[in-house]
Amino acid sequence: MSRFRKTVTRSFLPKKIDIREMPVYQYVPDSGLKVHDRIYTWGLAATGALGFPALLDPKIGKQRDLWPSPRKMRFFHSFKIRDVACGYGFTVFAANHSSTSFSLFGTGINTNNQLGCQLDVVKDASLAVVTAPSPIRIPQLFRDCKFTQVACGRCHTVVLSDHRDGAVFSMGNNSFGQCGRPIVSDEVQQRHLPIIEEIKNIEGKIAKIVCGQDHTLFLTENGQVYACGMGSDGQTGLGHYKNTGIPELVKGDIEGEKIVDISSSVDATLACNDKGDLFGWGNSEYLQFNSVTDDCQLNIPRRLPISEGKVIKVAAGGTACGFVNDKGQVFVWGYGMLGQGPKVEYLKKPSLIPDPLFGKNEVTPDIHVTNLYASTGHWAAINNKGELFTWGKNRNGVLGLPDKRDRFFPFRVILPIFVKKVSLGPDHSALIGRSLV
């Protein structure tokens, strides 16, 4: 046995190798390597919101109502991507290219002219459904502007330009004043030419725009918040439950504070200031704001007591709320699939989603979440490695995962890109990701 062991040891004993003599393999060329931003969409295809006509026309390809896996949009292959936003059955893109003067595009449902004035407008009738990204006309005065942000609600769209004054425009249904212009009681959008107007009455340059279901919020560079639209649940935060057509300054507990982030996807609103404090207002039927009120609606911002660190990002969904603290940890509360497992569907206070579910472990201890998104029943998070995680109700394949099953915990969406931003609609989703080509 000793002789055999000795023979084997000599035969398989590794030789000492000089690392300088090892071969070098080059898989990616040094020259011509460029970084590009790409747009991916997935979810319900029947509305045209994904921007792939082949999914709807059997003459072009196989007709499909759903597309659950993220699919790259080749339309914007050579564009400089600025932003993307998902509404209720439609999508708006901010992207520019040297070959066209247009920098705003839309696809999907257009019954309320939420996609603006399309090039295909014939007389007084615009397309009710647009199946591929189409240019949106902007008033002549601002035709040379590029657009940096877009936000979409149920039937309206708001866009922010890079104009020196930070001009912002709106289009779509204004039944509750969500477009930031006076409410006309008998106005029926689909019977008139599309209305695209500049929103005024806001002091200071706008830094961020947010659309709830039927209201709009504007965050200025100096940290003030303006609001307009439906106020039946107090979601505008203006101290009443009325509809507001002209943006007004939101006060309450955020007055005098420098707000740095704000979120509202339905009728509840969250905000945080530069000190890491958390504020909330709007719908509280699922006790989102039970720490400061017993009422089902809160019509003015209130500071929410928390002990989970400084808040840097907020996400307000339909029935639940969440935030990311300065350690990159995710906390959620409210009602629904909260990422805490199948036995947890209701939380009165912010609760931590374990860090390992977002990629943190002993091998990668530096992983942390940088952004959080919430919609009507599902969530998305991005970590500092550009990895995307989704969970919640997988209606119409909105989670971007291989099947239609709901997810009670965050699951990673495998993509060949560095994810920068996600937009969640109730029936479809979109993202901007950076890739090497």
Side-chain angles (χ1 to χ4, degrees):
M1 289 295 292
S2 61
R3 189 188 314 169
F4 177 76
R5 185 182 298 111
K6 185 175 182 180
T7 303
V8 173
T9 303
R10 287 178 179 177
S11 301
F12 291 90
L13 185 65
K15 296 180 180 179
K16 186 175 181 180
I17 300 177
D18 188 344
I19 191 172
R20 293 172 295 182
E21 298 178 358
M22 296 180 66
V24 176
Y25 298 94
Q26 184 173 334
Y27 295 98
V28 181
D30 292 332
S31 60
L33 188 64
K34 295 182 179 180
V35 177
H36 293 273
D37 286 344
R38 305 299 186 201
I39 295 179
Y40 287 70
T41 60
W42 65 96
L44 183 64
T47 62
L50 303 189
F52 298 112
L55 298 177
L56 302 177
D57 189 350
K59 297 180 180 179
I60 302 177
K62 184 179 180 181
Q63 189 172 8
R64 299 184 62 170
D65 290 335
L66 303 179
W67 192 271
S69 298
R71 182 176 181 178
K72 181 168 60 177
M73 298 190 69
R74 296 192 179 278
F75 180 90
F76 295 104
H77 187 74
S78 56
F79 280 71
K80 181 177 181 180
I81 309 301
R82 299 295 188 101
D83 200 10
V84 61
C86 296
Y88 283 51
F90 66 99
T91 311
V92 179
F93 313 86
N96 54 277
H97 193 279
S98 57
S99 64
T100 177
S101 60
F102 292 100
S103 60
L104 199 63
F105 302 82
T107 186
I109 295 175
N110 191 36
T111 52
N112 287 269
N113 297 320
Q114 53 266 61
L115 299 182
C117 185
Q118 302 294 338
L119 287 179
D120 299 326
V121 172
V122 180
K123 294 183 179 180
D124 292 344
S126 61
L127 292 176
V129 176
V130 181
T131 60
S134 300
I136 297 175
R137 290 184 182 274
I138 294 298
Q140 184 66 38
L141 180 63
F142 298 94
R143 192 63 58 84
D144 296 331
C145 290
K146 305 300 181 184
F147 294 91
T148 58
Q149 289 185 43
V150 292
C152 300
R154 175 160 54 180
C155 297
H156 76 293
T157 299
V158 179
V159 296
L160 177 64
S161 76
D162 63 356
H163 189 269
R164 63 180 182 276
D165 297 325
V168 61
F169 302 87
S170 66
M171 59 201 82
N173 191 297
N174 190 54
S175 299
F176 309 103
Q178 61 267 48
C179 287
R181 52 186 170 82
I183 301 172
V184 179
S185 59
D186 60 347
E187 179 180 281
V188 181
Q189 281 285 312
Q190 59 265 32
R191 295 181 182 176
H192 299 277
L193 283 174
I195 299 174
I196 301 179
E197 291 189 359
E198 182 185 2
I199 298 177
K200 299 181 179 180
N201 201 47
I202 297 176
E203 295 184 9
K205 193 171 183 178
I206 298 172
K208 184 175 183 177
I209 51 177
V210 173
C211 287
Q213 192 172 52
D214 295 304
H215 70 287
T216 308
L217 302 163
F218 309 86
L219 175 61
T220 66
E221 288 185 344
N222 61 7
Q224 291 183 315
V225 177
Y226 285 77
C228 62
M230 178 181 282
S232 59
D233 282 309
Q235 57 266 55
T236 56
L238 297 174
H240 56 69
Y241 299 102
K242 303 176 183 178
N243 299 330
T244 304
I246 304 298
E248 297 181 12
L249 179 65
V250 181
K251 298 180 180 180
D253 286 354
I254 67 171
E255 187 173 11
E257 301 287 348
K258 184 176 182 179
I259 301 301
V260 295
D261 193 33
I262 191 167
S263 173
S264 183
S265 62
V266 184
D267 49 16
T269 304
L270 284 179
C272 64
N273 64 8
D274 57 346
K275 304 171 188 175
D277 299 324
L278 183 66
F279 304 85
W281 63 94
N283 189 299
S284 187
E285 293 179 13
Y286 301 93
L287 304 184
Q288 298 99 308
F289 311 126
N290 74 306
S291 59
V292 294
T293 182
D294 293 328
D295 296 331
C296 293
Q297 288 86 25
L298 184 61
N299 64 19
I300 197 164
R302 293 288 302 275
R303 189 186 306 267
L304 306 179
I306 60 169
S307 58
E308 292 80 15
K310 295 181 178 180
V311 179
I312 60 171
K313 291 290 182 180
V314 292
T319 60
C321 295
F323 64 80
V324 180
N325 68 9
D326 54 348
K327 295 181 180 179
Q329 297 174 310
V330 176
F331 291 83
V332 295
W333 73 100
Y335 174 80
M337 297 180 184
L338 303 173
Q340 303 278 357
K343 295 183 179 181
V344 180
E345 63 176 6
Y346 178 71
L347 292 168
K348 290 185 177 181
K349 298 180 180 180
S351 179
L352 174 68
I353 296 181
D355 297 339
L357 293 177
F358 299 108
K360 185 176 182 178
N361 52 50
E362 294 181 354
V363 179
T364 56
D366 61 331
I367 294 291
H368 59 273
V369 173
T370 57
N371 220 326
L372 181 67
Y373 306 87
S375 185
T376 51
H378 61 290
W379 302 75
I382 303 173
N383 67 17
N384 58 317
K385 298 296 183 181
E387 297 170 337
L388 172 65
F389 298 81
T390 60
W391 67 99
K393 193 71 176 176
N394 198 14
R395 178 184 178 185
N396 295 314
V398 292
L399 298 183
L401 298 169
D403 56 66
K404 302 176 186 178
R405 292 186 295 113
D406 299 336
R407 295 299 194 279
F408 295 96
F409 295 103
F411 275 72
R412 183 183 171 189
V413 181
I414 304 300
L415 293 163
I417 55 175
F418 182 99
V419 180
K420 296 172 57 179
K421 181 196 174 175
V422 177
S423 180
L424 304 179
D427 294 311
H428 75 291
S429 305
L431 66 80
I432 300 175
R434 180 156 293 178
S435 66
L436 293 173
V437 294

